[in-house]
Amino acid sequence: MTKSVTYAEVNTEKQGPDTDTSPDPTARRAAALPTSLSGGPLHHDERADRPGSHGEHQVQRELGTVARADRFYDDQVLRRLNARMQEFVARQEMFFLATSDSHGECDSTFRAGPPGFLRVLDDATLAYPEYRGNGVMASLGNIRENPHIGMLMIDFSQDRIGLHVNGRARLVTDDTMRRRIPDLPVDPVPGRRPHVWVEIEVEEAYIHCSKHIPRLVRAPLRQNTNGTDRSTADGEQAWGTDDPKRKGGDYFRAAARERGIDPR
């Protein structure tokens, strides 16, 4: 019988299919990969003490990139956020988030907020608020089943650089977070008042190099001259809204096709 778990219980209860509590991600990977994706046995991974997965180690050998990968592991992969990484995180207004359920079915998404919405609690812990969305709860549901997540922050306009953070996430209620951090500010925008936070235990942090990152420049908000029919095209973020037009409407014509309407 499956036990029902509340948000409060998630704060202390082990989540997901991984029952190894070792803080070392490389040790967990070495212990948790006895078979390949096809079901056959994997060869012994003599590089199990290195960062990364057994699969990436195999591909490194096949493509002859072991030495290059080792230089990257040695020079760039950290188990904690150094001071420069913490400063980078604290000024971000968005990041990309990857999660998967207990079967490995993946989902990727985007999170945004004012600078500082992704909070650095210490050199090994981050937290961000979950704002009102479409109600599907895909990311939170995946985290409930499988705590392993990947985050990618990219500075497109200033330094053109990125930061990867991989770790283990858990769900924390807003009340619990505020008891732990009494000076946590209350956002004045109603649509940015969370009921749930996601807290991340950092396991790996490393650079995403700038060579393929485009430089993007902030555009000024478009002015709405008549004061009506505002949409996402106006450039203003409509935090927490349920207005279909301000959320983007049926941009990809998915609903129109389901209803038998010509999507053109």
Side-chain angles (χ1 to χ4, degrees), residues 71-168:
R71 284 196 301 272
F72 184 84
Y73 291 152
D74 292 338
D75 293 345
Q76 297 296 337
V77 179
L78 304 182
R79 295 279 303 280
R80 295 288 187 269
L81 300 170
N82 66 20
R84 193 169 178 86
M85 289 175 173
Q86 293 178 48
E87 182 276 329
F88 183 87
V89 170
R91 61 182 166 88
Q92 297 308 301
E93 297 180 60
M94 64 180 185
F95 66 89
F96 302 95
L97 175 70
T99 61
S100 73
D101 64 17
S102 59
H103 302 289
E105 298 289 339
C106 299
D107 185 75
S108 61
T109 191
F110 166 83
R111 291 291 182 265
F117 87 106
L118 177 57
R119 298 184 65 88
V120 179
L121 303 186
D122 56 47
D123 67 352
T125 316
L126 301 176
Y128 71 88
E130 277 285 335
Y131 300 143
R132 180 180 175 85
N134 59 15
V136 174
M137 306 299 176
S139 298
L140 298 186
N142 282 347
I143 290 170
R144 175 64 60 82
E145 293 187 24
N146 176 359
H148 298 284
I149 69 167
M151 306 170 69
L152 173 60
M153 293 153 263
I154 300 181
D155 178 348
F156 291 99
S157 60
Q158 183 175 325
D159 296 324
R160 286 183 55 250
I161 205 74
L163 175 65
H164 291 268
V165 173
N166 297 328
R168 297 162 67 86

Side-chain angles (χ1 to χ4, degrees), residues 193-247:
R193 293 178 186 168
H195 295 291
V196 179
W197 290 74
V198 177
E199 184 176 281
I200 301 98
E201 174 192 353
V202 176
E203 294 183 330
E204 293 178 337
Y206 54 92
I207 193 173
H208 188 102
C209 74
S210 62
K211 61 185 177 183
H212 297 151
I213 297 176
R215 184 175 296 282
L216 304 181
V217 179
R218 286 181 177 274
L221 298 182
R222 299 182 185 181
Q223 298 300 312
N224 188 320
T225 57
N226 59 17
T228 60
D229 296 326
R230 295 185 67 87
S231 71
T232 53
D234 296 312
E236 180 184 1
Q237 290 163 296
W239 303 103
T241 185
D242 284 325
D243 182 339
K245 179 173 287 189
R246 302 198 73 189
K247 292 194 295 183

Side-chain angles (χ1 to χ4, degrees), residues 32-90:
L33 288 168
T35 60
S36 69
L37 292 178
S38 64
L42 286 173
H43 298 297
H44 172 68
D45 185 6
E46 69 274 13
R47 292 169 56 75
D49 61 332
R50 305 300 282 152
S53 69
H54 189 2
E56 73 185 68
H57 297 159
Q58 287 184 319
V59 176
Q60 289 162 10
R61 287 192 296 271
E62 292 166 8
L63 299 184
T65 67
V66 170
R68 187 149 39 108
D70 277 341
R71 284 196 301 272
F72 184 84
Y73 291 152
D74 292 338
D75 293 345
Q76 297 296 337
V77 179
L78 304 182
R79 295 279 303 280
R80 295 288 187 269
L81 300 170
N82 66 20
R84 193 169 178 86
M85 289 175 173
Q86 293 178 48
E87 182 276 329
F88 183 87
V89 170

